[in-house]
Amino acid sequence: MTREEYCSRIGEAIEAIDFQGEYVDHVRYGSGHINDTFLIRFQQVDGMMNKYILQRMNHEIFKNPDQLMRNICNVTAFLRGRIAETHGDVDRETMNVIDTKEGGSYYKDTIGAYWRAYLFIDDAISYDQVNKPEDFYESAVSFGRFQHLLKDFNADSLFETIPDFHNTPMRFKAFVKATEEDVCRRAAGVQKEIEFLLQREQVMKVCMEHLKTGKLPLRVTHNDTKMNNILIDKTTGKGVCVIDLDTVMPGLSIFDFGDSIRFGANTATEDETDLSKVSLNIELFEQFTKGFLVGCQGSLTETELDMLPMGALLMTLECGMRFLTDYLQGDHYFRIHREGHNLDRCRTQFTLVEDMEHKLDQMNRIVDRYR
Ligand code: ADP
Ligand code: GN1
Ligand code: MG
């Protein structure tokens, strides 16, 4: 079934979920690559408009939506507790799941699509690119704080929503398999990119080996820390809420740091086709490092601090490899908007990796300045 077909019963979901007020309209919303997201509005008797986010969960990627929603309910309940303790705004500083009329946290419709809804967080923006260094700094504080807030959350209670999500060597194996199978006969056209990855097989193992030997600790992490997974308050410019909690799982702090750098400290967008525009903006790297360490409040170990730049390099390499793998397999994972879109995204990531390789010393010096 196509994504459009999966969304065709949205009316059932609107009926099943316990939204307050009279239905007004719904529109597609945001620019995520994975779920189908809608902004939906309901009118109250007093004329006020209630807004919600309604999402069709991508159950081809998240194979167990029930476990996924249990994670999200547990994590958001925990966060609400922590936010309330510090007298924060529990309706804006964490996601709030809207139950179904039957009291569940999601709805499965008659064609097998899974739906969930959240309170819409108003007067806040998610950016697809960093416009102001201050926004990037604030996102760093929020992602660091998110990890810090969850430091006492029981990691054993979390389901692994996508097993081996940031296991880079496993991703490499999947990539090699895709080149061998070459189902779309696209491998011949991307020999340069394939070679790029083959030359870097060894470096991909570094973090997983440190995890195995205990040099890097396993923490509860977000695992998808790109700039558009954070909402920035329109008025104050502060980070309001970390969103897109589908991949909250045990993981590495340096990967949360790294994925943000990959997306936000690129001088170009994730899918820029003019590769001369792509590079690591070292000032933005510095802003993010500063903010992330403020948010983490001293909870990172010396090895984690040492390896932050490597986290950025590896997340960029891994993401480029995932885009290339999806391109080779026929673009089934990441939503594409044009022919060759995943290949464009891959090339952008690889160009950024090369620039990071040249700037590793500079990155290390910046981390040393703020640790
Ligand atoms: P995906 O996994 O597809 O990236 P997200 O959960 O990140 O899906 O949602 C897509 C976009 O929808 C976000 O980038 C953000 O702009 C918007 N969004 C999601 N949840 C909310 C919310 N509770 N309030 C306001 N905007 C939201
Ligand atoms: C996806 O869901 P979204 O658009 O925030 C992906 C991330 C990638 C990112 C690349 C569950 O993130 O891992 O880094 O695209 N999420 C999943 O833009 O695979
Ligand atoms: Mg997202």
Side-chain angles (χ1 to χ4, degrees):
M1 225 182 281
T2 64
R3 287 202 163 141
E4 296 312 316
E5 285 164 345
Y6 269 132
C7 289
S8 62
R9 304 291 162 89
I10 189 168
E12 269 183 46
I14 295 172
E15 192 46 47
I17 295 173
D18 199 12
F19 296 116
Q20 299 299 303
E22 194 74 31
Y23 167 81
V24 178
D25 57 12
H26 68 269
V27 287
R28 274 203 177 260
Y29 194 77
S31 48
H33 297 335
I34 303 295
N35 296 301
D36 287 300
T37 304
F38 301 86
L39 165 62
I40 179 164
R41 299 192 305 163
F42 284 76
Q43 176 117 40
Q44 305 306 293
V45 273
D46 61 4
M48 292 281 283
M49 206 61 93
N50 273 7
K51 295 182 192 167
Y52 303 93
I53 283 286
L54 175 61
Q55 273 182 333
R56 183 191 72 86
M57 291 182 258
N58 188 327
H59 68 272
E60 279 160 341
I61 289 176
F62 295 102
K63 301 213 182 320
N64 194 326
D66 187 70
Q67 290 184 350
L68 171 73
M69 287 312 292
R70 273 151 71 184
N71 276 2
I72 290 184
C73 290
N74 285 337
V75 167
T76 52
F78 184 90
L79 289 173
R80 242 193 326 278
R82 300 296 315 271
I83 293 162
E85 279 167 22
T86 50
H87 309 290
D89 182 345
V90 291
D91 286 343
R92 273 172 73 73
E93 292 172 31
T94 176
M95 303 287 270
N96 284 273
V97 175
I98 308 296
D99 283 347
T100 64
K101 288 173 183 160
E102 293 192 345
S105 60
Y106 64 92
Y107 172 71
K108 185 178 180 187
D109 71 21
T110 49
I111 55 168
Y114 291 82
W115 298 88
R116 65 170 169 216
Y118 296 111
L119 282 183
F120 182 81
I121 298 166
D122 226 340
D123 302 318
I125 312 178
S126 68
Y127 293 103
D128 288 322
Q129 202 179 7
V130 174
N131 300 319
K132 291 206 303 276
E134 295 81 8
D135 292 339
F136 199 41
Y137 172 85
E138 292 300 337
S139 79
V141 175
S142 296
F143 279 128
R145 191 192 305 125
F146 181 83
Q147 220 176 85
H148 185 73
L149 284 176
L150 289 174
K151 94 180 153 35
D152 297 323
F153 182 85
N154 177 13
D156 293 337
S157 71
L158 282 176
F159 296 101
E160 226 182 328
T161 52
I162 301 181
D164 293 309
F165 190 58
H166 284 317
N167 184 334
T168 319
M170 293 277 277
R171 296 277 185 190
F172 181 77
K173 283 199 181 120
F175 149 73
V176 170
K177 189 160 172 269
T179 60
E180 286 164 1
E181 291 175 351
D182 196 17
V183 288
C184 299
R185 306 212 166 276
R186 288 175 168 177
V190 293
Q191 282 308 306
K192 205 169 131 221
E193 286 73 22
I194 292 175
E195 196 49 42
F196 185 89
L197 288 173
L198 294 178
Q199 281 167 3
R200 287 164 179 78
E201 184 184 355
Q202 287 313 314
V203 72
M204 292 190 208
K205 297 178 183 161
V206 173
C207 295
M208 284 299 118
E209 270 161 18
H210 280 6
L211 180 63
K212 264 187 227 145
T213 58
K215 273 195 191 165
L216 283 173
L218 197 61
R219 299 182 184 275
V220 175
T221 49
H222 183 279
N223 295 304
D224 188 2
T225 51
K226 61 183 190 183
M227 183 76 184
N228 65 15
N229 285 332
I230 199 132
L231 297 174
I232 305 275
D233 191 287
K234 276 186 193 164
T235 319
T236 65
K238 299 279 178 204
V240 186
C241 183
V242 172
I243 61 170
D244 202 347
L245 305 179
D246 295 336
T247 50
V248 174
M249 285 183 279
L252 295 181
S253 61
I254 63 167
F255 284 169
D256 270 8
F257 174 87
D259 202 36
S260 282
I261 297 297
R262 171 192 77 77
F263 189 82
N266 184 351
T267 48
T269 51
E270 187 182 64
D271 57 358
E272 175 61 60
T273 49
D274 178 355
L275 296 178
S276 70
K277 291 186 181 161
V278 177
S279 66
L280 176 75
N281 180 325
I282 205 78
E283 284 80 34
L284 288 182
F285 178 87
E286 176 158 358
Q287 287 296 319
F288 195 88
T289 304
K290 197 163 82 176
F292 194 72
L293 296 186
V294 167
C296 286
Q297 296 181 37
S299 56
L300 299 186
T301 66
E302 289 300 307
T303 312
E304 287 179 296
L305 291 165
D306 288 344
M307 294 200 63
L308 289 174
M310 186 49 88
L313 198 150
L314 276 191
M315 277 299 93
T316 312
L317 188 57
E318 182 192 278
C319 194
M321 178 162 71
R322 291 173 62 199
F323 288 141
L324 184 60
T325 306
D326 198 30
Y327 174 74
L328 289 167
Q329 292 178 327
D331 308 304
H332 298 300
Y333 190 98
F334 298 103
R335 188 199 317 274
I336 56 165
H337 303 287
R338 57 175 187 255
E339 199 56 30
H341 203 168
N342 274 319
L343 181 57
D344 294 341
R345 290 168 174 154
C346 155
R347 288 180 171 150
T348 310
Q349 304 311 299
F350 289 178
T351 306
L352 187 57
V353 167
E354 277 182 322
D355 197 44
M356 286 178 175
E357 287 169 347
H358 292 125
K359 290 178 177 161
L360 260 183
D361 284 347
Q362 255 178 297
M363 289 195 267
N364 282 321
R365 281 200 297 277
I366 288 171
V367 173
D368 285 345
R369 210 173 300 149
Y370 294 98
R371 64 199 296 174

